[in-house]
Structure formats: structure tokens, C-alpha cells
Amino acid sequence: MDDNLLQYIRRYIDISDSEFLVFSSYLSTLNLKKREQLLRSGDICRARYFITSGCLRLYYIDQKGHEQIMHFGIENWWLTNYDSLLNKIPSHLIIEAVEKTQVLELKEVSLQELYRKIPKMERFFRIIMERTYIATQRRIEFMYSMSGEEIFKGFIDANPEFVQRIPQYMLASYLGITPEYLSFLRKTP
Amino acid sequence: MDDNLLQYIRRYIDISDSEFLVFSSYLSTLNLKKREQLLRSGDICRARYFITSGCLRLYYIDQKGHEQIMHFGIENWWLTNYDSLLNKIPSHLIIEAVEKTQVLELKEVSLQELYRKIPKMERFFRIIMERTYIATQRRIEFMYSMSGEEIFKGFIDANPEFVQRIPQYMLASYLGITPEYLSFLRKTP
């Protein structure tokens, strides 16, 4: 039994050991090498991924050929392309391992079956969606209201360890600033 | 019984007439005048609002004193400040009626009770959150990848009637462009 995952779920819902075993039986462990892709552009996303170690990024290639990062995901975070997953449309977003990463894969068809077996998982994923939404709402507000410098300083204050882990050009893409400007900001006290 | 609301809910979950009556008993109808506020800056948000007619906006006042609109909500859409509601923190976002508006108010304390009485409402609000999240993810992508002109043209193509209903300066704020540039774009074929 994965104690870390059990504790994580019990933060949000009451779940018995036997229910957790049923839930766990729907998960597959995937080990990804750095740069390995979980979701390719053009494919329909079929699963949600819970990150147990490492880091994923969700990004797309814009019309000018530049990578634009939408989200990062680290330990104890769910990542997927919800639009592709739930509307069953081809994804133009790519999910890729930033570093060596381990995820638990939960296929959407399995999840629908799981909801029938253990209805309280509806509650769990309802809460996860609310938290994910709040993070995204805050992000939009940052994008509107802050300068590149303020976004950078806010982000490193909130995620000091994470900033050390990822390549600087990825961080710049996520923050919507150029790598050169990021480099300048890092040198500014 | 509100047939429109019942049909709306049945798009997402199976609900019996008697369950719907229980759900309805938790809702209060509020009639708002144009510019009336449902949530004031500094208050903790205590409810979700389902719009039956009219239009709401969620916005804040930035450091320069400008209004920045985060979202609009129209008929058959839920609107609230999830961050304030779920984390019980004072809201700096304001919810206000753009025009004469009617909403159904669902208090969060009532909803927690409702989840216990009718667990399938977890499923309903899980699905609503997923849809809300997808809309927001698309929004972020637009903000990153499109020019003001592309955002404007995409928005009027997707929401032709809505564009006629709201004041132009609000539309400009939502799209992240100046009212002058919006006026210029409207004149461009």
C-alpha cells in the first residue's frame, strides 16, 4: 500500500483501507525518463496522472515555433489535459517529464467505473478540481496585474526549491518573460 | 419547480423529481439591480450563484485604480470567488450585476449539508468544476498565444450576442486591451 498516497487522499476524504485498495487497483505506475512524453500533440488524452516523484510540464508549441508552458506539476499533484480528456478532442498540449519522473496513471474509463464502485471518489475529485481551479484563477490574476518582475519574485518566494530544479528557459516560458529578462532579474537583489 | 434548472442539472446527472425538490429547497432567489454587488471587496464569500437571467462580472481594482475583469457569467452559469469561498479568506474580487440579474444563491454551509443528503450532488459539482476549469485553461492559452486582435475576433465569434449586451469598456478590460483599441478593432472588418 502506498502510504504517501493514502495520507494524501485522507487529507480530503475519509477512505477505508479496503476502499483505498480498490482505488489503488485502478492505478498503474509509469516511470518516465527526462523528456519522455506522456501525451503527444494530436493524441486524445485518456488519463489523469498523479506525480509521486519528479516533475511534469504541460506545454504547446506556438505559431512561431516557441514552447509555451501552461503548467508544471510536481509531487502530490494531478496533471492532465482536461479539455482533451473530457471533451475527447485531440490535444495540442504536450505532457512531458522535465526530469526523471514517476506517475500513477488513472485512465478515465477506469475512473468512471471507480465512481460507480466508490461514489465518494466523486467528492475527492470534486475537491481536487476546486483546488486546481483556484490555482489557475490566481495565475490569471497574476498575468493581468503584475509586471514580469513581480511575477518572478512572487513565484520564487512561493516556490523556492522548485525554481532550483527546472531549467531557466522553462521557468521564463511559464512566467511569460524572456530568458534574458529572467537572467537579469535573478541578478537583481 | 424550476424546469430550466432541472433540465440543466439533468444534462449532467440523473436526479429524481424529489431529489431536485430537496436541492431547490437550498436555493434562494435574489434579484439584483444593475451595478448591485453580490460580493464586496474585503468580505468572505459564502455562496455560489447560479445565474437564471442577466449577467454578472467578477473583477478587482488594480493598484492603479483600474477595474480588471476576471470573468463574466450569464444564464446557466455558476459564479463565485472559489478562493475566498473555500479558503475562507477575504475577497479582493467583487461580484456585481452588469445588468438587471436574477440568481439562485447556494450557501456553502447548505451545500455541505446537501452533499450529505444527496451524495450525487458531489458528482454534479465535480462536473461543473471540470467545465469551469476547462474554460479557464482555454482562457490562459488565449492570453499567452494570441494578439489583442485575435482574442477579440475569437471572442466575438464565440459569443456574438454577449458582445452586444455588455458595455464596451468592460469587454476591453476582460480581453486585456484598451477601450480605444477595442473601438479600432470593431471598425476593422
Side-chain angles (χ1 to χ4, degrees):
Chain A
M1 194 182 293
D2 182 332
D3 269 347
N4 177 51
L5 180 62
L6 179 59
Q7 294 314 315
Y8 166 81
I9 294 176
R10 285 189 173 156
R11 273 196 244 160
Y12 304 110
I13 58 167
D14 290 324
I15 188 172
S16 69
D17 287 357
S18 61
E19 286 168 334
F20 179 70
L21 281 176
V22 174
F23 175 60
S24 298
S25 72
Y26 283 92
L27 302 171
S28 310
T29 302
L30 304 179
N31 289 295
L32 306 168
K33 283 178 275 195
K34 184 174 172 174
R35 297 232 164 240
E36 198 172 336
Q37 293 189 352
L38 263 178
L39 174 65
R40 269 183 282 265
S41 178
D43 288 353
I44 295 176
C45 187
R46 304 286 186 194
R48 297 160 197 238
Y49 302 98
F50 180 75
I51 303 164
T52 50
S53 67
C55 176
L56 296 177
R57 63 179 178 136
L58 182 78
Y59 70 101
Y60 63 94
I61 310 288
D62 72 15
Q63 291 168 344
K64 293 176 185 159
H66 297 137
E67 291 178 1
Q68 177 56 59
I69 296 177
M70 301 274 295
H71 300 287
F72 288 105
I74 52 170
E75 290 82 6
N76 289 2
W77 194 257
W78 291 89
L79 199 82
T80 185
N81 177 355
Y82 286 100
D83 200 357
S84 174
L85 183 78
L86 301 171
N87 293 320
K88 300 182 177 60
I89 54 176
S91 178
H92 59 286
L93 302 176
I94 298 158
I95 300 178
E96 188 183 281
V98 174
E99 57 193 34
K100 192 180 160 207
T101 298
Q102 187 182 68
V103 299
L104 301 175
E105 180 185 58
L106 176 57
K107 290 208 168 74
E108 194 62 14
V109 284
S110 307
L111 181 54
Q112 297 305 319
E113 191 180 299
L114 181 67
Y115 286 147
R116 285 188 291 274
K117 279 196 193 169
I118 309 176
K120 73 174 70 164
M121 294 311 293
E122 297 271 8
R123 180 177 180 82
F124 175 72
F125 282 101
R126 193 258 302 160
I127 294 170
I128 294 300
M129 278 317 301
E130 286 173 348
R131 292 172 57 87
T132 306
Y133 180 80
I134 288 170
T136 304
Q137 183 176 288
R138 288 182 183 170
R139 175 106 184 274
I140 288 187
E141 202 181 318
F142 286 157
M143 287 171 76
Y144 270 130
S145 65
M146 291 188 176
S147 67
E149 183 173 355
E150 287 169 324
I151 291 175
F152 171 73
K153 295 207 182 297
F155 190 81
I156 55 169
D157 282 352
N159 310 278
E161 289 175 23
F162 182 63
V163 170
Q164 303 303 320
R165 271 167 66 174
I166 54 168
Q168 295 306 294
Y169 83 92
M170 288 190 190
L171 181 59
S173 167
Y174 178 73
L175 298 176
I177 58 181
T178 64
E180 295 74 21
Y181 187 51
L182 178 68
S183 173
F184 167 78
L185 289 173
R186 289 186 75 91
K187 288 173 195 151
T188 313
Chain B
M1 194 182 292
D2 183 331
D3 269 347
N4 177 53
L5 180 61
L6 179 59
Q7 294 313 316
Y8 167 81
I9 293 176
R10 284 188 174 158
R11 271 196 246 160
Y12 304 111
I13 58 167
D14 290 323
I15 188 172
S16 69
D17 287 357
S18 60
E19 286 168 334
F20 179 69
L21 280 176
V22 174
F23 175 59
S24 297
S25 73
Y26 283 92
L27 302 171
S28 310
T29 301
L30 303 179
N31 288 296
L32 305 167
K33 284 178 275 193
K34 184 175 173 174
R35 297 232 163 240
E36 198 172 336
Q37 293 190 350
L38 263 177
L39 175 64
R40 270 183 281 266
S41 178
D43 289 354
I44 295 177
C45 187
R46 304 287 186 193
R48 296 161 196 237
Y49 303 97
F50 180 75
I51 302 164
T52 50
S53 68
C55 176
L56 297 178
R57 63 180 179 137
L58 182 78
Y59 71 101
Y60 63 94
I61 311 288
D62 72 14
Q63 291 168 345
K64 292 176 187 159
H66 298 138
E67 291 178 0
Q68 177 56 59
I69 297 178
M70 300 275 293
H71 300 287
F72 289 105
I74 54 170
E75 290 83 5
N76 290 359
W77 195 257
W78 291 88
L79 199 82
T80 186
N81 177 354
Y82 287 99
D83 200 358
S84 174
L85 183 78
L86 300 170
N87 293 320
K88 300 183 176 63
I89 54 176
S91 179
H92 60 287
L93 302 176
I94 298 159
I95 299 178
E96 189 182 278
V98 174
E99 56 193 32
K100 191 179 162 208
T101 299
Q102 188 182 67
V103 299
L104 301 174
E105 180 185 58
L106 176 57
K107 291 207 169 74
E108 194 62 15
V109 285
S110 306
L111 181 55
Q112 296 307 318
E113 194 180 298
L114 180 67
Y115 285 146
R116 285 189 290 275
K117 279 196 194 170
I118 309 177
K120 72 173 71 165
M121 295 310 294
E122 298 270 7
R123 180 175 179 83
F124 175 71
F125 281 101
R126 193 258 302 159
I127 294 170
I128 294 300
M129 277 318 300
E130 287 173 347
R131 292 172 57 88
T132 306
Y133 179 80
I134 287 171
T136 304
Q137 183 177 287
R138 288 182 183 171
R139 176 104 182 276
I140 289 186
E141 202 181 317
F142 285 157
M143 288 171 76
Y144 270 130
S145 64
M146 291 187 176
S147 66
E149 183 174 354
E150 287 169 323
I151 291 175
F152 171 72
K153 295 205 184 296
F155 190 79
I156 54 169
D157 281 351
N159 311 278
E161 290 174 21
F162 182 63
V163 169
Q164 303 303 321
R165 271 168 67 174
I166 54 168
Q168 295 307 294
Y169 82 92
M170 287 189 191
L171 181 59
S173 166
Y174 178 73
L175 298 177
I177 59 181
T178 65
E180 293 74 21
Y181 188 49
L182 178 66
S183 173
F184 167 77
L185 289 174
R186 290 184 75 91
K187 288 173 197 151
T188 313

